[in-house]
Amino acid sequence: MAELPIATVTRLIRKSGAERVSEDAGVALSEELEARADEIVKKAINLSKHAKRKTVKREDIEAAINEF
Amino acid sequence: MAELPIATVTRLIRKSGAERVSEDAGVALSEELEARADEIVKKAINLSKHAKRKTVKREDIEAAINEF
């Protein structure tokens, strides 16, 4: 947890159009994004193993997002 | 785009168990996470407006994730 810096995520929230952002809103979004990242990456790792690679590549991430 | 630092996202990928990660895998995941963040935040902003607030709070983010 808290791998994604709150300040960075808060900036993302502003960039999407929020006038003001509470700090814990940044925390909540950061946690959710990390959970979604973990889910995508777990699939991508399985896909890279399936392709007999040890390196997770863009194509694994993209397939994890789009096809599974 | 590229608001989430690639190095940070690459670290997330490692944390989820990847042995090796290509740089463009980090780019791909970063772009996807930003797109998902934007979608959540747009909903959260509407929810904050609905509650007649100018500040996006944790409850808006959580409702955007869980209820809409």
Side-chain angles (χ1 to χ4, degrees):
Chain A
M1 280 300 154
E3 200 72 37
L4 293 176
I6 308 306
T8 306
V9 176
T10 302
R11 206 159 53 232
L12 271 187
I13 298 178
R14 288 227 174 72
K15 198 180 150 198
S16 290
E19 236 178 281
R20 293 186 217 159
V21 186
S22 76
E23 188 174 327
D24 56 0
V27 173
L29 185 58
S30 174
E31 288 172 358
E32 177 69 13
L33 292 179
E34 289 193 23
R36 293 189 182 196
D38 188 60
E39 197 181 332
I40 293 167
V41 172
K42 293 274 197 298
K43 287 179 192 169
I45 291 172
N46 284 340
L47 287 162
S48 68
K49 285 180 182 164
H50 185 76
K52 306 199 189 308
R53 281 186 276 98
K54 288 190 173 178
T55 303
V56 174
K57 294 185 171 185
R58 172 184 271 270
E59 66 202 63
D60 303 315
I61 297 289
E62 288 176 347
I65 291 166
N66 296 317
E67 293 165 41
F68 295 91
Chain B
M1 280 297 155
E3 199 71 39
L4 293 176
I6 309 306
T8 305
V9 176
T10 302
R11 206 159 54 232
L12 271 186
I13 298 176
R14 287 225 176 73
K15 198 180 149 196
S16 290
E19 237 178 280
R20 294 186 218 160
V21 186
S22 77
E23 187 173 328
D24 57 359
V27 173
L29 184 58
S30 173
E31 287 172 358
E32 177 68 14
L33 292 180
E34 289 193 21
R36 294 189 182 196
D38 188 60
E39 196 182 331
I40 293 168
V41 172
K42 292 274 198 295
K43 288 181 192 170
I45 291 172
N46 284 339
L47 287 163
S48 68
K49 285 180 182 163
H50 186 76
K52 307 197 189 309
R53 280 186 277 98
K54 290 191 173 177
T55 303
V56 174
K57 294 185 170 185
R58 172 185 269 270
E59 66 201 63
D60 303 316
I61 297 289
E62 288 176 346
I65 291 167
N66 296 317
E67 293 164 39
F68 295 90

